[in-house]
């Protein structure tokens, strides 16, 4: 996708399928427009173009978030500042100079209430009137509704400010999120035993109702469970500055200066000013337990993790088999494939999964431990990592038992691993020599 600020910078030559609007949330209603231009782009030799008017007001989605959302979905995102010149342009001039000459529109997709031009004189009826003259088609897409109410940015704002996150997310079609750089705070959470991340939303970005929420957090490319507070931290902060402060289950790195994304899932309670830090600490501990219970009772994310893990395991098996064939080791048994699969899983270090899981590394280490060691690892993960790790524990336990049935005791396991490594190294050297001579 090409991201362009201002129409003057657009220099496309192809015919286009264009949709226009404010697109300040890209909710389910907006997505109907996007899907239509994407279908045109797939079926015909034209580019999909989103023209988003920048209204410079409070928004559900910042320009950066909109850009990230549309990446790999459309060919162009053009952000158009809503200047006085744009406001005063006559509607027919907009059709001629912008849609026809500039954008080379062959398909124009708009909603039923779309207006443009001076004093909003342009509408979908005017677009249809000039369609034959300028050689484009017009698709007028009906509004999306939830029950008897139109899905709109205004409606979703109301839900967010009321704390009705599940319905807001349903109408958006994705979890409401905040992306920002993790800031240094007072480090009170670290002092109290639960370090948090502080994210300051952009000035125009809407924060939901001030209070505590269950959430998911993306940092270092990994999704974790979390519980966070949206608001101004009235108990400890002298400066009433909007922040989203979040405790992330299982995260042990240094996030300061890194970009993090928080997806807000469920409202727990309103923001409260406590009489003492001890009272605050007691309440935060309850909030953390609430977050754990929420994650436990909403296993959808864990289910997705399980599916991804299974797919990764299948893919890893085929990679292993390919390595065996490439190095002429295909005469070995499934027993040997299990061993090599463990080595490859560590070597390639499979992509981390949501919740901070690096399954291959932990599984491989568990294969070298006795039963007591495995119990310690499992218990430690449960206590330190939170509920989102239950899937990992289940898979690791099953794989460990299966591996022990195949591999026998630890000494034999280690000896076979070492033997296999030597064999692979020798085969690899021979293979490289053959390639060099060919």
């Amino acid at each position: 996708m090409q991201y362009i600020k201002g129409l003057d910078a657009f220099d496309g030559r192809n015919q286009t399928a264009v949709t226009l609007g404010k697109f300040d949330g890209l909710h389910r209603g907006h997505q109907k427009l996007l899907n239509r231009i994407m279908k045109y782009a797939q079926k015909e030799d034209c580019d999909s173009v989103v023209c988003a008017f920048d209204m410079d007001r409070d928004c559900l989605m910042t320009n950066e978030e909109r850009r990230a959302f549309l990446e790999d979905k459309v060919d162009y995102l053009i952000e158009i500042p809503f200047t006085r010149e744009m406001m005063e342009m006559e509607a027919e001039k907009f059709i001629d100079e912008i849609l026809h000459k500039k954008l080379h529109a062959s398909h124009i997709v708009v909603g039923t209430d779309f207006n443009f031009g001076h004093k909003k004189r342009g509408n979908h009826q005017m677009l249809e009137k000039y369609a034959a003259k300028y050689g484009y088609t017009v698709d007028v897409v009906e509004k999306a509704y939830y029950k008897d109410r139109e899905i709109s940015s205004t409606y979703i704002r109301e839900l967010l400010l009321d704390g009705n996150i599940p319905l807001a997310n349903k109408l958006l079609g994705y979890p409401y999120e905040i992306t920002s750089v993790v800031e240094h705070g007072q480090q009170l959470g670290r002092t109290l035993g639960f370090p948090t991340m502080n994210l300051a939303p952009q000035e125009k970005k809407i924060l939901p109702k001030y209070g505590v929420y269950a959430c998911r957090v993306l940092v270092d490319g990994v999704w974790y469970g979390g519980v966070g507070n949206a608001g101004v931290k009235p108990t400890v902060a002298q400066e009433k500055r909007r922040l989203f402060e979040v405790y992330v289950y299982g995260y042990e790195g240094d996030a300061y200066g890194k970009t993090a994304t928080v997806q807000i899932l469920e409202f727990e309670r309103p923001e409260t000013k406590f009489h003492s830090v001890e009272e605050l600490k007691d309440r935060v501990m309850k909030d953390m337990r609430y977050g754990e219970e929420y994650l436990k009772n909403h296993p959808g994310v864990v289910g997705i993790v399980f599916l991804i893990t299974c797919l990764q395991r299948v893919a890893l098996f085929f990679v292993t088999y390919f390595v065996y064939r490439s190095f002429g080791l295909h005469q070995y048994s499934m027993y040997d494939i299990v061993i090599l699969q463990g080595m490859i899983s560590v070597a390639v270090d499979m992509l981390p999964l949501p919740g901070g899981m690096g399954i291959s590394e932990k599984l491989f280490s568990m294969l070298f431990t006795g039963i007591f060691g495995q119990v310690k690892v499992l218990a430690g993960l449960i206590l330190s990592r939170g509920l989102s790790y239950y899937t990992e524990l289940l898979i690791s336990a099953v794989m460990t038992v299966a591996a022990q049935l195949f591999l026998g005791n630890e000494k034999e396991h280690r000896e076979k691993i070492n033997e296999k490594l030597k064999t692979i190294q020798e085969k690899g050297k021979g293979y490289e020599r053959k390639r060099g001579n060919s």
Side-chain angles (χ1 to χ4, degrees):
M1 183 190 79
Q2 293 192 44
Y3 172 67
I4 298 171
K5 301 196 76 170
L7 283 165
D8 292 340
F10 180 79
D11 60 355
R13 295 291 182 264
N14 294 341
Q15 295 292 301
T16 62
V18 183
T19 186
L20 307 97
K22 294 185 287 290
F23 297 117
D24 61 340
L26 291 177
H27 52 65
R28 282 169 48 191
H30 294 146
Q31 290 167 30
K32 292 178 68 175
L33 305 176
L34 298 177
N35 290 336
R36 189 70 61 89
I37 64 169
M38 289 161 61
K39 285 182 180 178
Y40 276 125
Q42 290 169 359
K43 292 180 180 179
E44 304 179 19
D45 185 20
C46 65
D47 293 332
S48 53
V49 178
V50 175
C51 292
F53 294 104
D54 189 352
M55 308 302 289
D56 192 29
R57 67 179 189 184
D58 290 350
C59 60
L60 301 172
M61 179 179 277
T62 66
N63 293 351
E64 292 79 8
E65 290 167 344
R66 179 168 56 205
R67 178 181 180 179
F69 185 94
L70 292 174
E71 193 69 49
D72 298 327
K73 292 184 175 68
V74 299
D75 296 305
Y76 292 93
L77 167 60
I78 306 175
E79 288 181 357
I80 305 174
F82 201 63
T83 60
R84 179 167 294 277
E85 179 185 2
M86 183 62 63
M87 290 174 58
E88 295 179 352
M89 181 180 292
E90 292 297 332
E92 186 176 352
K93 183 179 180 181
F94 183 88
I95 295 173
D96 180 34
E97 295 189 2
I98 304 300
L99 295 175
H100 176 61
K101 294 178 180 177
K102 188 69 176 177
L103 298 177
H104 316 296
S106 59
H107 303 286
I108 300 173
V109 179
V110 295
T112 54
D113 62 349
F114 176 68
N115 296 105
F116 63 98
H118 186 51
K119 296 185 178 179
K120 297 185 178 180
R121 290 180 180 141
N123 51 31
H124 68 83
Q125 289 92 344
M126 178 177 281
L127 288 173
E128 291 166 338
K129 177 181 176 181
Y130 288 97
K133 178 179 178 180
Y134 292 107
Y136 58 75
T137 66
V138 180
D139 289 21
V140 183
V141 179
E142 294 294 328
K143 295 288 185 181
Y145 283 84
Y146 176 73
K147 295 184 177 180
D148 59 347
R149 184 162 178 183
E150 173 191 322
I151 297 177
S152 66
S153 299
T154 299
Y155 184 19
I156 295 170
R157 282 190 190 93
E158 293 174 10
L159 295 171
L160 290 173
L161 296 177
D162 193 41
N164 192 344
I165 303 301
L167 183 53
N169 289 345
K170 183 175 182 177
L171 303 190
L172 283 168
Y174 57 87
Y176 189 68
E177 62 184 36
I178 295 168
T179 299
S180 185
V181 175
V182 179
E183 300 181 353
H184 285 276
Q186 297 174 297
Q187 298 191 334
L188 178 62
R190 186 176 299 277
T191 303
L192 298 177
F194 38 83
T196 58
M197 299 182 191
N198 291 295
L199 287 83
Q202 291 190 16
E203 182 182 355
K204 302 294 183 180
K205 176 75 174 184
I206 293 173
L207 264 186
K209 179 179 180 178
Y210 286 2
V212 176
Y213 294 87
C215 54
R216 296 176 68 220
V217 183
L218 175 66
V219 61
D220 292 335
V222 180
W223 285 105
Y224 298 84
V227 60
N229 181 81
V232 294
K233 300 196 290 187
T235 304
V236 297
Q238 297 179 349
E239 178 187 2
K240 302 303 179 185
R241 181 165 171 255
R242 299 188 320 150
L243 287 172
F244 196 96
E245 182 179 20
V246 59
Y247 173 78
V248 183
Y249 298 106
Y251 183 76
E252 298 172 355
D254 183 0
Y256 293 125
K258 297 178 180 178
T259 298
T261 296
V262 175
Q263 290 185 343
I264 302 173
L265 304 177
E266 179 101 300
F267 177 77
E268 181 201 3
R269 64 171 179 85
E271 186 175 51
T272 305
K273 183 172 183 177
F274 296 98
H275 298 296
S276 67
V277 172
E278 282 301 316
E279 187 180 351
L280 169 63
K281 180 179 179 180
D282 291 341
R283 180 66 250 189
V284 170
M285 296 302 293
K286 293 178 182 178
D287 295 336
M288 291 168 64
R289 287 194 290 272
Y290 157 79
E292 292 175 347
E293 284 299 314
Y294 177 87
L295 294 172
K296 178 181 178 180
N297 295 326
H298 294 77
V301 173
V302 176
I304 293 172
V305 171
F306 182 80
L307 176 61
I308 295 173
T309 303
C310 291
L311 292 174
Q312 286 180 322
R313 285 294 172 197
V314 171
L316 182 60
F317 178 85
F318 283 108
V319 169
T320 305
Y321 183 73
F322 174 77
V323 171
Y324 259 54
R325 299 285 296 185
S326 299
F327 286 99
L329 304 176
H330 53 275
Q331 70 271 24
Y332 291 94
S333 66
M334 179 64 69
Y335 177 93
D336 303 302
I337 291 180
V338 171
I339 297 175
L340 183 58
Q341 183 169 324
M343 291 188 289
I344 290 178
S345 67
V346 173
V348 302
D349 191 17
M350 291 189 330
L351 292 175
L353 296 175
M357 289 175 268
I359 289 178
S360 60
E361 183 179 351
K362 294 185 180 67
L363 171 61
F364 194 64
S365 66
M366 289 172 68
L367 293 177
F368 288 107
T369 65
I371 298 298
F372 178 70
Q374 291 171 25
V375 170
K376 279 174 53 181
V377 170
L378 294 174
L381 286 172
I382 291 173
L383 293 174
S384 67
R385 295 291 186 169
L387 299 166
S388 63
Y389 272 71
Y390 284 157
T391 301
E392 177 187 6
L393 305 183
L394 174 63
I395 296 172
S396 297
V398 172
M399 293 293 289
T400 300
V401 172
Q404 285 182 334
L405 292 176
F406 277 113
L407 303 175
N409 64 49
E410 283 184 41
K411 184 177 179 181
E412 291 178 353
H413 182 191
R414 289 176 184 272
E415 289 174 354
K416 288 185 177 293
I417 288 286
N418 290 330
E419 290 174 6
K420 196 61 61 181
L421 279 171
K422 291 178 182 178
T423 302
I424 290 173
Q425 288 172 353
E426 291 301 320
K427 292 283 184 180
K429 291 176 181 177
Y431 181 70
E432 289 297 322
R433 284 195 295 269
K434 288 181 181 178
R435 289 186 62 186
N437 295 331
S438 60

